Amino acid sequence: MMISSSAISGLLFTLFSSAVLAEPAALWLVTLEHNDGLRLQFQGAELELGNATFRGIRGAADLKPGMPLAILSRHGVAEQISLDNEAASTASHWQRAEAPLVAVKGQTLHLNRLGTIGFDAATRWLNGGLGDLQAGRQLVLTRDQTGRLTEILVVNPEDDLASP
């Protein structure tokens, strides 16, 4: 029995498509910086708005800068957007989250809303470093699918937190 090359190509395409679609949605707990109707922008990242469904928000026109959001996304496209409430912000399966630092002890961060999160030497620092970690400093954290912290973005490390 011989299988045609077009049948093999079709099978490979189906398998690849299924694998890509099977990627789990990522939960982002972030503060909206900009919404141009096509893309949502955050500290150091953006998502396409796509055909996202909304919870607690009437629609894309109601998304305003400064809003804390919980977004389920897949492949860089928002699938579901809701206001970040206590239930969403305490979720343990987030991939990207933004929160103020409460304290740092060794390689452990204590963050408002997110709790305690450890980092290691392989964690990548963006826009700052360990010396910029002060109580009140806003951080954006990225984790991989296993929950390991992969990146720490220090938001505006040059800002003096002691200033009014």
Side-chain angles (χ1 to χ4, degrees):
M1 178 165 124
M2 207 157 152
I3 300 174
S4 71
S5 62
S6 63
I8 291 172
S9 295
L11 178 61
L12 289 175
F13 177 77
T14 302
L15 290 173
F16 177 75
S17 298
S18 297
V20 169
L21 292 175
E23 179 181 315
L27 175 63
W28 288 28
L29 304 173
V30 292
T31 302
L32 182 65
E33 284 194 336
H34 182 70
N35 169 19
D36 67 5
L38 298 174
R39 290 174 306 280
L40 304 173
Q41 296 176 342
F42 314 97
Q43 285 287 339
E46 71 178 23
L47 290 170
E48 288 183 32
L49 185 55
N51 292 323
T53 59
F54 296 92
R55 289 194 174 169
I57 305 166
R58 286 188 304 240
D62 290 340
L63 296 174
K64 304 293 182 217
M67 289 180 93
L69 301 173
I71 303 173
L72 283 176
S73 68
R74 191 181 323 260
H75 307 294
V77 179
E79 292 185 344
Q80 181 179 334
I81 302 172
S82 61
L83 290 174
D84 180 12
N85 55 33
E86 193 61 32
S89 64
T90 58
S92 62
H93 61 279
W94 55 267
Q95 182 179 3
R96 184 177 182 87
E98 183 177 334
L101 179 67
V102 174
V104 62
K105 183 175 182 182
Q107 291 186 305
T108 304
L109 304 172
H110 302 280
L111 296 138
N112 190 16
R113 300 179 318 129
L114 298 177
T116 302
I117 300 167
F119 62 94
D120 57 33
T123 304
R124 186 173 152 212
W125 291 87
L126 304 172
N127 202 35
L130 191 57
D132 294 308
L133 297 180
Q134 303 163 355
R137 179 77 61 210
Q138 194 74 10
L139 302 178
V140 179
L141 308 174
T142 304
R143 298 193 305 188
D144 62 18
Q145 291 179 344
T146 67
R148 188 183 75 76
L149 192 61
T150 58
E151 291 182 346
I152 300 172
L153 168 68
V154 181
V155 178
N156 300 324
E158 66 282 353
D159 287 353
D160 183 8
L161 292 178
S163 302

